[in-house]
C-alpha cells in the first residue's frame, strides 16, 4: 500500500518539473523545493502507514474481543440455565423435606389421627435433610479474575452479575451457624432413639429400607414424644427452611432476570 502511494507521489513530482527538466538536475532552488516535497511526502506516507497499521490492529483486536464476549455470553447462559434447573430441584427437595418435618412434628405433638410408622421412619431421615444452595460461578469468576468484564462495557450487566454471584458473607455465616446448630443437634438427639442402621440402609440401598420392620431399627417412638429438645430442633429446622425457600425464590428470579438481559 505504501509503495502504491510512493509511486503516485513520484509521478506527481515528475509531472511538476519544468519542460525539458525531467530526469535532469535543476537549479538549486528547484532542487531544494523538490527535496522538501520528497521529505514531506515520506512523512505523509509514514503517517498513513502507521494509521493503516493501527486501524488493522484495532479491527483484529475488536474481532478478538467480539469472539471472547460471545464465548462468555454463551457460557453464562449455560451456567444460569443449569442453575435454574438445580434451583427447581432444590425447591422440590426442600418442600418435600418440610412436609416430612411437619408430619414428624404432628406425631410428636399427638396430632395424628392415624400413625404410619413407615412414613414416620422416612420423616426421621428427611426432616434433617437440608439442601445446600449453590450456583455455578466458574464463568463469572473467570470474567472477574481475568478482568475481561471490561470487554462488555456494560455497567448494568456487571451489577446484575455481582448481585447474583457475590454472596453476603455475614448472612452466609449466620445461616450456616443456624444450619449446623439445628441440623447437628437434631441428628445427635434423634440418634438416641433409633439404630444407625436406619440411615445406613436408606442411603446404601437406593432408599430401600425395610420400612415394615421398625423393630430392626429399634425406634423408640414414645421416648421421642417426651423429648422437648428434639421438638425444639425440629421447629428450628422448619423455620430455617423458610429462609431456604426465600433464597431459592430470590435466586431463581435473579437468574431469570440475567438470562432475559443477556438474550435481549
Amino acid at each position: 500500500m505504501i509503495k502504491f502511494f510512493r509511486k503516485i507521489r513520484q509521478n506527481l513530482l515528475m509531472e511538476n518539473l519544468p519542460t525539458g527538466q525531467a530526469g535532469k538536475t535543476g537549479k538549486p532552488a528547484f532542487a531544494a523545493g523538490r527535496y522538501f516535497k520528497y521529505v514531506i511526502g515520506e512523512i505523509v506516507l509514514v503517517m498513513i502507514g502507521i494509521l493503516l497499521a493501527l486501524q488493522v490492529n484495532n479491527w483484529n483486536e475488536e474481532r478478538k474481543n467480539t469472539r471472547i464476549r460471545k464465548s462468555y455470553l454463551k457460557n453464562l447462559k449455560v451456567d444460569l440455565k443449569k442453575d435454574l434447573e438445580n434451583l427447581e430441584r432444590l425447591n422440590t427437595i426442600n418442600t418435600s423435606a418440610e412436609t416430612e418435618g411437619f408430619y414428624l412434628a404432628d406425631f410428636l405433638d399427638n396430632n395424628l389421627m392415624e400413625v404410619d410408622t413407615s412414613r414416620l421412619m422416612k420423616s426421621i431421615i428427611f426432616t434433617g435433610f437440608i439442601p445446600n444452595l449453590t450456583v455455578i460461578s466458574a464463568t463469572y469468576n473467570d470474567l472477574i479474575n481475568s478482568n475481561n468484564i471490561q470487554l462488555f462495557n456494560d455497567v448494568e450487566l456487571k451489577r446484575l452479575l455481582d448481585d447474583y454471584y457475590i454472596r453476603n458473607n455475614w448472612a452466609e455465616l449466620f445461616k450456616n451457624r443456624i444450619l449446623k446448630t439445628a441440623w447437628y443437634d437434631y441428628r445427635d438427639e434423634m440418634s438416641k432413639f433409633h439404630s444407625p442402621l436406619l440411615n445406613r440402609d436408606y442411603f446404601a440401598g437406593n432408599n430401600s429400607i425395610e420400612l415394615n420392620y421398625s423393630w430392626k431399627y429399634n425406634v423408640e417412638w414414645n421416648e421421642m414424644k417426651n423429648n422437648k429438645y428434639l421438638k425444639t430442633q425440629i421447629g428450628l429446622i422448619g423455620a430455617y427452611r423458610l429462609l431456604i425457600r426465600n433464597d431459592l425464590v430470590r435466586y431463581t428470579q435473579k437468574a431469570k432476570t440475567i438470562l432475559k438481559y443477556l438474550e435481549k
Side-chain angles (χ1 to χ4, degrees):
M1 182 65 72
I2 293 177
K3 289 182 179 180
F4 173 74
F5 284 114
R6 181 175 285 118
K7 184 176 181 180
I8 294 176
R9 180 179 57 78
Q10 289 175 346
N11 290 337
L12 290 174
L13 286 173
M14 293 300 293
E15 291 175 1
N16 289 330
L17 285 174
T19 306
Q21 295 298 318
K24 298 181 181 181
T25 304
K27 296 178 180 180
F30 178 77
R34 185 177 178 185
Y35 178 75
F36 178 74
K37 290 181 179 180
Y38 177 82
V39 171
I40 294 299
E42 286 295 323
I43 293 174
V44 171
L45 285 175
V46 171
M47 292 178 64
I48 291 175
I50 292 174
L51 291 174
L52 286 174
L54 288 174
Q55 187 62 46
V56 171
N57 183 68
N58 288 339
W59 287 338
N60 290 334
E61 191 67 21
E62 183 57 31
R63 286 202 301 269
K64 175 185 175 183
N65 291 340
T66 299
R67 288 196 300 270
I68 294 175
R69 284 194 294 268
K70 288 182 178 179
S71 177
Y72 276 119
L73 288 174
K74 178 182 178 181
N75 291 335
L76 281 172
K77 291 177 184 179
V78 171
D79 289 352
L80 289 166
K81 288 177 181 178
K82 288 182 179 179
D83 280 346
L84 285 173
E85 292 176 359
N86 187 50
L87 289 168
E88 182 179 0
R89 181 181 64 85
L90 292 177
N91 188 51
T92 300
I93 292 174
N94 187 60
T95 301
S96 177
E98 182 180 47
T99 300
E100 297 304 324
F102 287 150
Y103 189 82
L104 180 59
D106 284 339
F107 168 75
L108 297 179
D109 291 334
N110 294 312
N111 293 329
L112 295 179
M113 298 297 294
E114 296 182 2
V115 177
D116 183 344
T117 55
S118 297
R119 170 78 181 278
L120 281 173
M121 281 191 286
K122 179 182 178 182
S123 296
I124 289 174
I125 295 171
F126 278 99
T127 295
F129 187 80
I130 301 176
N132 183 27
L133 195 165
T134 59
V135 297
I136 303 172
S137 58
T139 303
Y140 172 79
N141 290 338
D142 184 51
L143 258 177
I144 299 302
N145 295 334
S146 64
N147 206 30
N148 282 329
I149 188 67
Q150 295 185 1
L151 296 178
F152 289 89
N153 193 29
D154 191 331
V155 176
E156 179 63 12
L157 176 61
K158 188 175 187 303
R159 184 192 68 79
L160 290 172
L161 293 176
D162 288 347
D163 184 51
Y164 182 74
Y165 288 104
I166 297 178
R167 310 292 285 270
N168 185 319
N169 290 333
W170 285 107
E172 291 301 311
L173 288 173
F174 176 72
K175 287 188 290 187
N176 286 338
R177 180 61 180 172
I178 295 177
L179 172 60
K180 289 180 179 179
T181 299
W183 185 81
Y184 281 122
D185 283 3
Y186 169 80
R187 182 199 62 182
D188 293 342
E189 196 67 21
M190 181 60 78
S191 66
K192 299 177 181 178
F193 305 107
H194 66 80
S195 167
L197 294 176
L198 179 62
N199 289 289
R200 188 205 67 178
D201 289 355
Y202 184 84
F203 291 107
N206 192 26
N207 303 347
S208 59
I209 60 176
E210 299 179 45
L211 293 177
N212 293 326
Y213 300 95
S214 59
W215 56 266
K216 176 180 178 180
Y217 304 110
N218 300 318
V219 182
E220 300 175 355
W221 301 112
N222 292 328
E223 286 74 6
M224 285 184 193
K225 289 184 177 182
N226 296 326
N227 190 292
K228 294 182 179 180
Y229 186 69
L230 183 60
K231 295 179 182 179
T232 299
Q233 297 312 117
I234 293 174
L236 287 175
I237 291 176
Y240 182 75
R241 290 193 188 281
L242 296 177
L243 295 178
I244 294 176
R245 179 178 292 106
N246 291 336
D247 282 346
L248 292 171
V249 171
R250 185 168 65 254
Y251 273 88
T252 297
Q253 184 58 49
K254 288 180 180 180
K256 289 181 178 179
T257 299
I258 298 174
L259 269 177
K260 183 178 179 180
Y261 187 86
L262 294 177
E263 293 173 348
K264 70 177 182 178

